């Protein structure tokens, strides 16, 4: 049975799913050294934001197949290191969207009405109404930085509260922003004009200290800023100075450059600042959502199924996977087959999506073709995660093309590989939506289902060849399960595809090509 380590607190709903397929150990609060010591025993690791999964931990996790982040941000996982090792990294892109958006909105209203300090004051026995005079958000301008899932929900609710909306997101269309009632502007204008600014962007090299002394200086002295996205997007030292010196009115932070927050000037500020300990996703509903979402993906991957929200397999979104799932096995089979026909060292692979398939996303099928192509060299070490990297490191040139006009099957996939044995091609399609059929080998039409052991010959279409080959295989005790010839013209060149019951014995290929009329022979194990 597989073993899963859960190293951060996860809702029981997730643990229950994992125990369907694995032994689950919940060990929270491990030091990095403790984690490194035990991670080698596990097939999967499930975390929240508390565990930092470094390259060292990934390298020690020799049996890891999947790392599941019960949340959105995977910035606590060294994703490139996991990708190189073929470990799939999954998250829950939507499970805590509402929770995080509502936390940001709560922060905005709490800042405006001084709720935390007013509450503390009453609890300490005071009745001070003057100190806590607030401001309305109605008719004020909210600047949303990052108009993705969380930013969009914040914008929708803020609009309903009567706020005017500005948004900065270089990757969002004007139409989408307009749909949400936002005017898309440059960051400088947003900083200058907004009364409230709320951040909903990932932390990347481009967004680190996006909000710094210079940009804070552009804000109105009455403006407030909220960060429920990621620590480090705001330069905390510069923020503390800006608030202390009255350059801006206040801030609310849920996330910090270093968590847990240690010694910090931010703690000494008064009612102008609200600090929460990374609570954006901490609602009962969100924790159930993310735990189920990620545990289901870990379960699926441990059962050999694809994950629906893998962050390191580009293009493998749930909708795309659903549509392409039947074709993924086709692509893998064709990749494996053409790789063996072309010989060990493949220089280039062309993947052509034909017919109805031409309108689909090609990336998953290219990845699946590469996985098949590299299978002979890498066996179980190659998977959807690392197939592209492995191909790149081997210098394999990958070309993607489309031919919507190909009409022989509803959708078919054509692969052409050039390697040490020359250039070879195979085409395949699905019959009845799931049965794989080879429909063409090296340009010769055939119609055979691929089988574990196959023999292909290129020969002259002339009387006697089939008999001679059959006798030769018989003399080596090779049983033929099925055989089909594909030819373009009578008595021209032809391809023979044979399914055989066992692997071909050593030395027989050399005998086959001695048969008069047979030019080439290739054996394939799928
Ligand atoms: N505080 C919490 O507990 C908590 C909970 C959930 C999510 N988060 C964080 O909230 C953030 C947003 O999450 P989401 O689910 O909305 O993500 P998302 O991917 O749906 O949206 C992010 C948006 O940021 C935009 N963006 C990327 N780079 C940008 C840049 N340089 N400048 C401006 N915009 C840029 C993208 O185009 C996208 O629209 C993430 O950092 C996530 O980790 C925090
Ligand atoms: O695990 C958490 O509580 C935080 C999650 C949040 O930061 C996220 O990115 O999803």
């Amino acid at each position: 049975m597989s073993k899963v380590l859960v190293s951060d607190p996860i809702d029981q709903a997730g643990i229950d799913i994992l125990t369907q397929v694995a032994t689950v150990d919940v060990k929270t609060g491990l030091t990095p050294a403790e984690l490194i010591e035990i991670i080698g025993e596990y097939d999967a690791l499930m975390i929240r934001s508390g565990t930092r999964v470094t390259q060292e931990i990934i390298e020690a996790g020799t049996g890891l197949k999947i790392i599941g982040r019960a949340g959105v941000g995977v910035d606590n996982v060294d994703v490139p290191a996991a990708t190189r090792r073929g470990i799939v990294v999954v998250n829950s892109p939507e499970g805590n969207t509402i929770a995080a958006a509502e936390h940001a909105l709560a922060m905005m209203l709490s800042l405006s009405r001084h709720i935390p300090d007013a509450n503390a004051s009453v609890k300490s026995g005071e009745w001070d109404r003057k100190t806590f005079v607030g401001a309305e958000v109605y008719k004020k301008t909210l600047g949303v930085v990052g108009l993705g899932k969380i930013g969009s929900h914040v914008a929708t609710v803020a609009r309903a509260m009567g706020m005017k909306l500005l948004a900065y997101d270089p990757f969002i269309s004007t139409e989408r922003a307009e749909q949400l009632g936002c005017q898309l502007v440059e960051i400088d204008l947003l900083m200058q004009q907004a009364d409230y600014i709320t951040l909903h962007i990932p932390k990347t090299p481009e967004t680190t200290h996006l909000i710094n002394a210079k940009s804070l200086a552009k804000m109105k002295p009455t403006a407030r800023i909220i960060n429920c996205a990621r620590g480090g997007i705001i330069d905390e030292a510069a923020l503390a100075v800006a608030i202390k010196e009255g350059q801006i009115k206040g801030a609310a932070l849920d996330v910090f450059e270093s968590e847990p927050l240690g010694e910090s000037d931010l703690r000494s500020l008064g009612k102008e600042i609200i600090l929460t300990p990374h609570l954006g996703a901490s609602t009962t509903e969100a924790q159930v959502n993310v735990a189920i979402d990620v545990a289901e993906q870990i379960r699926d991957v441990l059962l050999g199924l694809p994950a629906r929200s893998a962050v390191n397999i580009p293009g493998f979104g749930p909708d795309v996977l659903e549509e392409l799932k039947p074709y993924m096995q086709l692509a893998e089979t064709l990749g494996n087959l053409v790789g063996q026909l072309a010989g060990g060292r493949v220089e280039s692979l062309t993947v052509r999506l034909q017919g109805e398939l031409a309108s689909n996303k090609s990336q998953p099928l290219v990845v699946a073709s590469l996985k098949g192509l590299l299978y002979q060299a890498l066996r179980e070490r190659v998977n959807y995660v690392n197939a592209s990297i492995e191909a790149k490191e081997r210098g394999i040139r990958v070309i993607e093309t489309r031919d919507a006009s190909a009409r022989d099957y509803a959708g078919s996939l054509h692969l052409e590989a050039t390697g040490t044995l020359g250039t070879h091609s195979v085409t395949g399609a699905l019959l009845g939506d799931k049965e794989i059929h080879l429909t063409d080998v090296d340009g010769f039409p055939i119609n055979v289902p691929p089988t574990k052991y196959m023999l292909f010959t290129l020969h002259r279409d002339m009387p006697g060849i089939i008999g001679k080959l059959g006798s030769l295989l018989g003399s080596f005790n090779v049983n033929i399960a099925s055989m089909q010839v594909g030819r373009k013209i009578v008595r021209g060149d032809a391809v023979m595809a044979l399914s055989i019951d066992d692997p071909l014995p050593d030395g027989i290929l050399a005998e086959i090509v001695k048969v008069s009329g047979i030019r080439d022979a290739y054996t394939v194990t799928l």
Side-chain angles (χ1 to χ4, degrees):
M1 209 178 194
S2 301
K3 282 186 79 178
V4 181
L5 175 64
V6 177
S7 62
D8 287 321
I10 301 290
D11 192 272
Q12 186 60 34
I15 311 282
D16 291 345
I17 292 168
L18 296 174
T19 47
Q20 293 167 4
V21 294
T23 304
V24 182
D25 292 339
V26 181
K27 295 184 182 178
T28 57
L30 295 171
T31 63
E34 287 167 338
L35 187 51
I36 286 173
E37 201 173 315
I38 61 168
I39 194 68
E41 298 168 32
Y42 293 95
D43 302 279
L45 173 64
M46 184 161 174
I47 56 164
R48 274 176 64 187
S49 54
T51 305
R52 285 210 76 74
V53 189
T54 58
Q55 180 171 348
E56 243 186 317
I57 290 167
I58 286 167
E59 275 163 12
T62 47
L64 278 182
K65 296 181 184 68
I66 175 164
I67 297 167
R69 160 72 162 101
V72 183
V74 287
D75 43 329
N76 54 330
V77 179
D78 188 335
V79 178
T83 306
R84 277 194 298 279
R85 291 278 325 284
I87 300 168
V88 58
V89 180
V90 302
N91 68 349
S92 172
E94 287 172 16
N96 58 28
T97 298
I98 300 299
E102 289 184 358
H103 197 69
L105 289 158
M107 291 287 230
M108 180 174 72
L109 292 171
S110 299
L111 261 184
S112 299
R113 306 304 291 268
H114 313 297
I115 307 271
D117 284 64
N119 170 61
S121 148
V122 174
K123 283 189 174 163
S124 71
E126 292 172 3
W127 191 256
D128 175 1
R129 298 177 66 219
K130 267 202 216 104
T131 310
F132 302 115
V133 173
E136 290 173 14
V137 299
Y138 181 65
K139 288 200 171 163
K140 298 282 168 34
T141 298
L142 174 65
V144 183
V145 179
L147 211 47
K149 291 180 288 295
I150 298 171
S152 298
H153 190 70
V154 168
T156 305
V157 177
R159 190 183 180 197
M161 290 196 295
M163 297 188 83
K164 191 180 152 218
L165 298 170
L166 298 178
Y168 168 67
D169 188 326
F171 309 104
I172 287 284
S173 68
T174 313
E175 294 74 49
R176 170 72 184 143
E178 278 169 4
Q179 264 174 16
L180 292 162
C182 295
Q183 185 192 345
L184 216 48
V185 293
E186 284 307 315
I187 182 91
D188 281 357
L189 194 71
L190 183 148
M191 297 299 294
Q192 285 159 15
Q193 295 195 348
D195 300 300
Y196 296 85
I197 294 168
T198 184
L199 308 178
H200 301 291
I201 50 179
K203 186 179 176 204
T204 63
E206 294 75 44
T207 64
T208 299
H209 288 190
L210 179 73
I211 309 298
N212 50 39
K214 224 167 128 195
S215 49
L216 288 164
K218 295 191 174 115
M219 286 173 65
K220 297 180 185 176
T222 49
R224 297 170 165 107
I225 187 160
I226 298 134
N227 186 8
C228 290
R230 275 293 173 270
I233 296 173
I234 301 184
D235 177 342
E236 285 171 10
L239 178 69
V241 172
I243 295 176
K244 242 185 245 164
E245 296 186 353
Q247 282 171 34
I248 69 167
K249 186 81 176 166
L253 307 180
D254 183 47
V255 286
F256 302 90
E257 292 187 343
S258 168
E259 293 181 14
L261 180 66
E263 279 288 301
S264 167
D265 284 351
L266 298 171
R267 289 184 193 272
S268 60
L269 298 168
K271 68 178 190 318
E272 313 79 36
I273 193 153
I274 300 176
L275 309 175
T276 53
H278 204 144
L279 292 182
S282 292
T283 63
T284 314
E285 295 85 347
Q287 285 315 306
V288 172
N289 291 345
V290 296
I292 292 178
D293 195 359
V294 171
E296 283 180 349
Q297 297 187 69
I298 293 178
R299 177 197 62 196
D300 289 354
V301 167
L302 293 179
L303 291 174
L305 301 167
R308 58 176 174 261
S309 303
V311 301
N312 56 350
I313 317 182
F316 278 52
D319 45 335
V320 174
L321 263 189
E322 202 44 47
E323 204 168 335
L324 290 184
K325 216 191 258 169
Y327 285 101
M328 302 293 279
Q329 190 54 44
L330 170 68
E332 267 189 59
T333 306
L334 295 182
N336 191 353
L337 174 49
V338 81
Q340 292 179 66
L341 294 180
R345 206 168 303 120
V346 172
E347 291 157 20
S348 73
L349 175 73
T350 300
V351 179
R352 192 163 75 218
L353 275 62
Q354 304 188 143
E356 284 173 13
L357 211 51
S359 57
N360 279 71
K361 276 193 96 171
S362 60
Q363 204 163 15
L365 293 176
V366 171
V367 171
S369 305
L370 286 170
K371 177 174 180 250
L373 187 82
L374 294 170
Y375 181 75
Q376 295 301 321
L378 299 174
R379 299 282 153 175
E380 278 67 34
R381 280 209 308 108
V382 64
N383 58 24
Y384 292 146
V385 179
N386 62 5
S388 301
I389 290 185
E390 291 287 350
K392 199 169 170 198
E393 281 174 359
R394 284 168 167 70
I396 299 172
R397 210 155 52 88
V398 181
I399 302 143
E400 301 171 29
T401 62
R402 288 162 196 278
D403 178 6
S405 67
R407 285 278 163 252
D408 44 351
Y409 290 87
S412 59
L413 193 63
H414 174 84
L415 303 190
E416 183 179 291
T418 301
T420 38
L421 300 179
T423 297
H424 289 273
S425 68
V426 289
T427 308
L430 297 176
L431 294 198
D433 275 353
K434 44 179 188 290
E435 198 189 329
I436 298 176
H437 270 237
L438 301 177
T439 59
D440 187 301
V441 171
D442 284 342
F444 294 94
I446 55 168
N447 191 345
V448 291
T451 55
K452 188 158 174 56
Y453 303 112
M454 299 193 80
L455 170 67
F456 294 90
T457 65
L458 177 64
H459 60 274
R460 290 290 295 169
D461 178 33
M462 59 191 216
I465 293 247
I466 295 174
K468 279 190 217 157
L469 182 61
S471 312
L472 179 63
L473 291 176
S475 70
F476 278 85
N477 198 27
V478 175
N479 198 35
I480 301 172
S482 72
M483 190 273 292
Q484 200 182 95
V485 174
R487 59 186 189 180
K488 289 186 223 169
I489 50 165
V490 177
R491 298 207 179 220
D493 281 339
V495 151
M496 201 178 337
L498 296 99
S499 290
I500 48 184
D501 287 340
D502 302 292
L504 276 191
D506 286 346
I508 191 169
L509 275 186
E511 295 304 314
I512 292 173
V513 290
K514 284 184 196 156
V515 173
S516 153
I518 295 186
R519 286 224 300 269
D520 261 322
Y522 305 88
T523 175
V524 159
T525 303
L526 295 173

